[in-house]
């Protein structure tokens, strides 16, 4: 999703059942100015529950709003994974962290992947993700305060798009992404390069390098993108940059 959401508890939802349902309609004829105001208002929501409420409210308009932003990260990250993955796509298990409504997994499915598990902090986003029929399991999880509720070394691909930014998911989650990945599997991460996110980006890259020095993973590629999405802050103009980090977990890993 565009920004990661935090929730106090997690509940597991599978294809066999869903505990809650909601109804709603997306607002048509929205403009970039509308979207800009929505995103800037999110910065005022500093508490975890405030952010959950914000994204639950935004869920119905989310996909058309990020389209107005020309938000390219889901497609670019999926293309990056697809370019380097050498295994059997139809059998590969994909963990989509901060999955939102399912944009990343939708792209990966078009590229031949079939098995998806999603995690997010917004119940309303997960309900929309469920409607896509992409996921075998969806989980509501507090990223950064609860451990990602999956078994170690389970997934061929672990991908997180849009959530690694200042004020969102803490960098401690990076080791959890590594832990969830099978030996030889891939971890794909993205972040923004806008003015407000520069410090976070530097700290993220420092943590990525630290894991590489520990020989927990090796760099496959890092892609710097000049036009990531349209800028909404007065500190940035036109488009903000972003980055994709693709790493492969070592085959022999120490805890």
């Amino acid at each position: 999703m565009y920004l990661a959401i935090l929730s106090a508890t997690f509940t597991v939802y599978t294809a066999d059942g869903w505990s809650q349902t909601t109804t709603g309609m997306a607002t048509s004829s929205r403009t970039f100015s509308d979207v800009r105001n929505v995103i800037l208002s999110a910065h005022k929501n500093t508490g975890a529950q405030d952010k959950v409420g914000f994204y639950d409210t935004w869920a119905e308009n989310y996909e058309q709003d990020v389209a107005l932003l020309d938000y390219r990260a889901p497609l670019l990250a999926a293309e990056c994974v697809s370019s380097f993955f050498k295994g059997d796509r139809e059998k590969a298990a994909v963990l989509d962290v901060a999955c939102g409504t399912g944009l990343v997994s939708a792209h990966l499915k078009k590229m031949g992947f079939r098995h998806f598990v999603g995690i997010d902090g917004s119940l309303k986003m997960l309900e929309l993700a469920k409607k896509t029929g992409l996921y075998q399991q969806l989980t509501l999880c507090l990223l950064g305060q609860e451990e990602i509720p999956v078994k170690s070394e389970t997934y061929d691909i672990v991908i997180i798009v849009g959530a690694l930014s200042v004020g969102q998911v803490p960098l401690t989650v990076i080791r959890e992404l590594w832990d969830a990945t099978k030996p030889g599997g891939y971890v794909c991460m993205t972040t923004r390069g806008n003015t407000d996110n520069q410090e976070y980006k530097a700290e993220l890259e420092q943590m990525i390098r630290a894991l590489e020095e520990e020989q927990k993973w090796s760099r496959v590629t890092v892609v710097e993108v000049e036009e990531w999405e349209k800028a909404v802050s007065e500190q940035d103009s036109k488009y903000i940059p972003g980055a994709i980090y693709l790493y492969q977990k070592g085959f022999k890993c120490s805890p």
Side-chain angles (χ1 to χ4, degrees), residues 23-100:
T23 58
M25 294 181 64
T27 303
S28 60
S29 303
R30 289 168 68 83
T31 65
F32 175 75
S33 179
D34 295 329
V35 179
R36 179 179 182 274
N37 291 336
V38 166
I39 295 172
L40 291 177
S41 73
H43 298 167
K44 301 175 183 178
N45 298 318
T46 56
Q49 293 305 318
D50 290 337
K51 289 184 182 296
V52 170
F54 170 80
Y55 283 101
D56 280 346
T57 301
W58 193 24
E60 291 290 342
N61 290 317
Y62 174 76
E63 290 196 8
Q64 66 168 314
D65 283 3
V66 296
L68 286 169
L69 277 175
D70 195 17
Y71 180 49
R72 304 173 63 204
L75 174 59
L76 295 176
E79 288 179 337
C80 184
V81 169
S82 180
S83 295
F84 290 94
F85 186 79
K86 305 302 182 185
D88 186 337
R89 299 183 181 213
E90 292 190 356
K91 294 181 179 179
V94 179
L95 180 63
D96 186 355
V97 181
C99 65

Side-chain angles (χ1 to χ4, degrees), residues 34-176:
D34 295 329
V35 179
R36 179 179 182 274
N37 291 336
V38 166
I39 295 172
L40 291 177
S41 73
H43 298 167
K44 301 175 183 178
N45 298 318
T46 56
Q49 293 305 318
D50 290 337
K51 289 184 182 296
V52 170
F54 170 80
Y55 283 101
D56 280 346
T57 301
W58 193 24
E60 291 290 342
N61 290 317
Y62 174 76
E63 290 196 8
Q64 66 168 314
D65 283 3
V66 296
L68 286 169
L69 277 175
D70 195 17
Y71 180 49
R72 304 173 63 204
L75 174 59
L76 295 176
E79 288 179 337
C80 184
V81 169
S82 180
S83 295
F84 290 94
F85 186 79
K86 305 302 182 185
D88 186 337
R89 299 183 181 213
E90 292 190 356
K91 294 181 179 179
V94 179
L95 180 63
D96 186 355
V97 181
C99 65
T101 58
L103 295 178
V104 174
S105 289
H107 288 303
L108 287 172
K109 184 176 181 181
K110 293 176 182 177
M111 298 169 189
F113 297 93
R114 294 291 179 267
H115 300 285
F116 304 101
V117 169
I119 293 174
D120 201 90
S122 167
L123 178 61
K124 299 295 179 63
M125 291 282 191
L126 288 175
E127 289 174 344
L128 291 173
K130 177 181 179 286
K131 292 179 181 179
T132 67
L134 289 167
Y135 297 93
Q136 284 72 52
Q137 180 175 308
L138 290 164
T139 302
L140 186 66
C141 176
L142 174 56
L143 295 171
Q145 295 190 29
E146 295 172 333
E147 290 188 4
I148 295 175
V150 298
K151 293 181 180 180
S152 298
E153 301 188 346
T154 301
Y155 295 92
D156 299 283
I157 297 166
V158 176
I159 187 166
I160 181 167
V161 175
L164 295 174
S165 293
V166 63
Q168 302 176 59
V169 173
L171 293 172
T172 53
V173 78
I174 301 301
R175 288 186 180 270
E176 296 178 39

